[in-house]
Amino acid sequence: MTSTNDIRSAFLEYFGAQGHRIVPSASLVPQNDPTLLFTNAGMVPFKNVFTGQETRPYSRATTAQKVVRAGGKHNDLDNVGYTARHHTFFEMMGNFSFGDYFKPEAIEFAWTLLTRDFGLPKDKLLATVYAEDEDAAELWKKIAGLSDDRIIRIGTSDNFWRMGDTGPCGPCSEIFYDHGDSVFGGPPGSPDEDGDRFVEIWNLVFMQFLDQPDGSRDSLPRPSIDTGMGLERFAAIMQGKRDNYDTDTMRALIEASADVMHQDADGAFKSSHRVVADHLRSTAFLIADGVLPSKEGRGYVLRRIMRRAMRHLHMMGAKEPVFYRLLPALIQQMGAAYPELVQHQALITQTMKGEEERFTALLERGLTLLSDELDRLGETEALPGDVAFKLYDTFGFPLDLTQDALREKGRTVDESGFETAMAEQRKRARAAWVGSGDTAAETVWFDARDKHGPSEFLGYVSEKADAEV
Ligand code: ATP
Ligand code: MG
Ligand code: MG
Ligand code: MG
């Protein structure tokens, strides 16, 4: 079996041999874009290189980039534990051309790596292209020998990438792997594409245009390439699995979670162990990059992830902090590729343990309140917004934690009731501040929170950057 660690190395070495600089992963906290919550794609650290604001001593690069998609534009948090192919933290493998090579080479590189180096059967692969991108369709035929029915033309914005309202943009081509007949899910672009038969593994972006502030679109004199391949999805294929969570790395974390709880990884709590394994990675990597759990901004997203994992552990019977005890398993899997985990092991451990200690007492009381309330309600009634708000305000339950707890029971929260309760409390808080004669800073904070909404208030203006890959 090819390990995930070996696949990562093979990918980087392949592009290294094709003249790409192997660049280490950048931080999960974007260094060049304060409006972006987390690095959510491999291209993020190179944004200014693509726009020409920054130059590098190389025109081809390859990376294994740490990525978090929880909160903001790409939010895969609610998928975790329930789909076979979404994580909150994952590694995006990529190759980049900064005005160097373009479509023919990008397609050739991807195809050669997949079918020659990694030996994937050609008849398992499909490619989507943007409907107007005849060039790409022709190249897939010529280079890969794909027949027409394996080239799927998609005309929606899904297959057209933009960095933002202005700036570089261009068509995409997504490479899919077909896991086989027996499983639910239609081909890409079809209404039921979200099954697990066809899995998107690699997204190629052809940056060939420049959107101007006046709304016009120019052709770039030297077009660029940005690609992103999900390492976990690809490892699943290479390891003969349908499910990312059955790959070596994820499986080791799931088993660590099951061990610490003295349970069967595939028993009644199967999806909880998956959630814990996923959230362990986002938690540890975010702390290693300097994010700490807090009440707002990045820290609040981290807190939501941590508390959600902790609720699952509690539900499985944990009576004392256990989440931090899983860290050594993660370090064993990923510490060699990401030495920051080892370097910051003490801080990560301490932070995880401290957060769990603080939250455990509240969690127990909050869950009791929640189950009492549910007992009083009719079978199909949504949890009233003021109860969800009390859980949030008094017991530190982020709304999505409550929703996650209810989801297992097929129940929901009255979200607008929750927002109303939140708005009322804000009004009271504001009135109190006015009375206190305090200064501008708080007013600014309240204004920002009003504008951006309470539960999703992340402390950032917006995610204007459309970093699809
Ligand atoms: P999907 O349509 O499956 O949600 P995407 O189009 O949002 O994927 P891209 O933004 O194109 O994904 O990211 C590039 C690659 O990263 C994808 O082709 C996929 O292999 C991988 N990927 C995207 N989201 C996730 C995730 N949440 N967990 C694991 N891998 C992911
Ligand atoms: Mg997605
Ligand atoms: Mg997609
Ligand atoms: Mg994509």
Side-chain angles (χ1 to χ4, degrees):
M1 186 184 74
T2 321
S3 72
T4 300
N5 283 321
D6 288 346
I7 295 170
R8 184 192 306 104
S9 306
F11 184 103
L12 295 173
E13 279 160 24
Y14 170 82
F15 282 104
Q18 307 291 340
H20 294 66
R21 175 74 60 91
I22 302 176
V23 179
S25 175
S27 171
L28 284 168
V29 178
Q31 305 295 299
N32 56 5
D33 186 351
T35 67
L36 185 65
L37 195 59
F38 298 121
T39 300
N40 58 10
M43 63 76 61
V44 168
F46 299 113
K47 260 186 202 166
N48 294 339
V49 186
F50 285 118
T51 59
Q53 280 167 272
E54 184 189 338
T55 51
R56 302 256 175 134
Y58 43 83
S59 59
R60 299 178 176 200
T62 182
T63 59
Q65 175 61 50
K66 302 179 277 188
V67 157
V68 166
R69 291 191 172 182
K73 178 173 178 281
H74 284 288
N75 187 358
D76 289 334
L77 185 55
D78 293 326
N79 288 326
V80 167
Y82 305 96
T83 79
R85 60 193 168 88
H86 286 103
H87 304 286
T88 56
F89 170 95
F90 64 99
E91 291 177 81
M92 198 184 284
M93 308 301 301
N95 58 291
F96 307 93
S97 150
F98 310 117
D100 188 276
Y101 61 82
F102 198 45
K103 279 179 212 181
E105 296 87 345
I107 289 175
E108 165 101 55
F109 285 148
W111 187 254
T112 306
L113 179 62
L114 292 176
T115 59
R116 186 195 69 192
D117 295 50
F118 286 120
L120 292 190
K122 297 182 181 182
D123 60 0
K124 291 279 195 184
L125 295 166
L126 298 86
T128 67
V129 297
Y130 185 57
E132 288 164 30
D133 191 2
E134 247 346 285
D135 286 355
E138 272 311 308
L139 289 165
W140 277 117
K141 266 186 233 174
K142 201 174 107 203
I143 295 169
L146 283 186
S147 55
D148 251 325
D149 61 327
R150 305 188 77 81
I151 301 171
I152 299 171
R153 289 153 213 263
I154 295 182
T156 62
S157 60
D158 274 358
N159 263 35
F160 194 90
W161 179 89
R162 288 183 180 82
M163 190 180 284
D165 295 336
T166 61
C169 61
C172 303
S173 182
E174 293 185 332
I175 305 172
F176 282 74
Y177 183 80
D178 181 357
H179 274 291
D181 297 321
S182 57
V183 176
F184 142 83
S190 70
D192 59 341
E193 69 169 345
D194 276 337
D196 62 2
R197 176 170 167 185
F198 297 94
V199 174
E200 177 189 331
I201 48 175
W202 202 342
N203 199 333
L204 315 182
V205 178
F206 310 126
M207 283 185 214
Q208 64 188 98
F209 303 114
L210 191 68
D211 277 347
Q212 301 289 1
D214 67 5
S216 62
R217 177 168 289 171
D218 296 338
S219 286
L220 283 171
R222 294 170 64 215
S224 289
I225 290 293
D226 153 32
T227 85
M229 183 184 85
L231 179 61
E232 299 76 3
R233 291 187 191 183
F234 188 65
I237 294 164
M238 292 301 293
Q239 296 175 10
K241 312 288 185 195
R242 257 178 207 284
D243 188 326
N244 289 5
Y245 289 83
D246 289 332
T247 56
D248 54 349
T249 301
M250 295 311 295
R251 188 67 198 173
L253 303 180
I254 287 170
E255 276 166 8
S257 169
D259 282 352
V260 85
M261 299 309 306
H262 308 290
Q263 281 162 1
D264 172 6
D266 302 310
F269 292 118
K270 183 174 172 195
S271 66
S272 288
H273 290 303
R274 294 160 67 103
V275 172
V276 169
D278 172 84
H279 290 14
L280 170 65
R281 299 208 305 171
S282 358
T283 297
F285 276 98
L286 283 171
I287 299 171
D289 280 346
V291 182
L292 293 174
S294 73
K295 285 191 182 140
E296 72 232 17
R298 300 187 171 109
Y300 191 60
V301 179
L302 170 60
R303 171 164 284 169
R304 283 162 56 196
I305 294 171
M306 293 175 80
R307 293 195 168 181
R308 197 194 267 221
M310 289 165 188
R311 186 193 66 85
H312 281 273
L313 288 163
H314 183 273
M315 181 177 69
M316 293 191 281
K319 293 284 174 251
E320 57 194 45
V322 286
F323 196 30
Y324 77 96
R325 286 169 49 198
L326 305 178
L327 185 60
L330 176 63
I331 289 179
Q332 197 184 352
Q333 292 298 314
M334 301 187 73
Y338 296 97
E340 62 268 39
L341 291 176
V342 181
Q343 196 189 336
H344 300 296
Q345 182 166 8
L347 173 71
I348 303 169
T349 305
Q350 225 175 48
T351 308
M352 290 175 81
K353 194 164 175 224
E355 179 75 6
E356 200 167 359
E357 276 162 359
R358 271 191 300 280
F359 188 48
T360 302
L362 290 172
L363 180 60
E364 193 129 356
R365 286 163 52 210
L367 288 174
T368 308
L369 173 79
L370 180 61
S371 80
D372 290 351
E373 287 293 334
L374 288 179
D375 288 347
R376 296 193 323 170
L377 293 172
E379 291 261 301
T380 56
E381 255 177 288
L383 186 78
D386 59 331
V387 178
F389 182 69
K390 186 170 182 194
L391 285 168
Y392 165 81
D393 198 40
T394 311
F395 299 99
F397 280 36
L399 179 63
D400 66 279
L401 186 154
T402 303
Q403 288 171 316
D404 191 49
L406 290 173
R407 178 172 173 166
E408 292 145 17
K409 303 182 168 71
R411 320 259 317 223
T412 55
V413 176
D414 170 11
E415 279 186 55
S416 72
F418 176 86
E419 301 297 339
T420 310
M422 178 80 97
E424 275 163 16
Q425 197 230 32
R426 237 180 303 139
K427 234 188 276 168
R428 286 194 300 275
R430 188 189 285 265
W433 275 112
V434 172
S436 77
D438 218 311
T439 51
E442 286 79 15
T443 316
V444 169
W445 192 81
F446 281 120
D447 285 347
R449 198 172 68 165
D450 283 353
K451 194 160 145 220
H452 300 291
S455 57
E456 276 299 321
F457 175 62
L458 302 167
Y460 297 89
V461 181
S462 70
E463 288 210 16
K464 66 171 190 269
D466 181 349
E468 186 69 26
V469 167

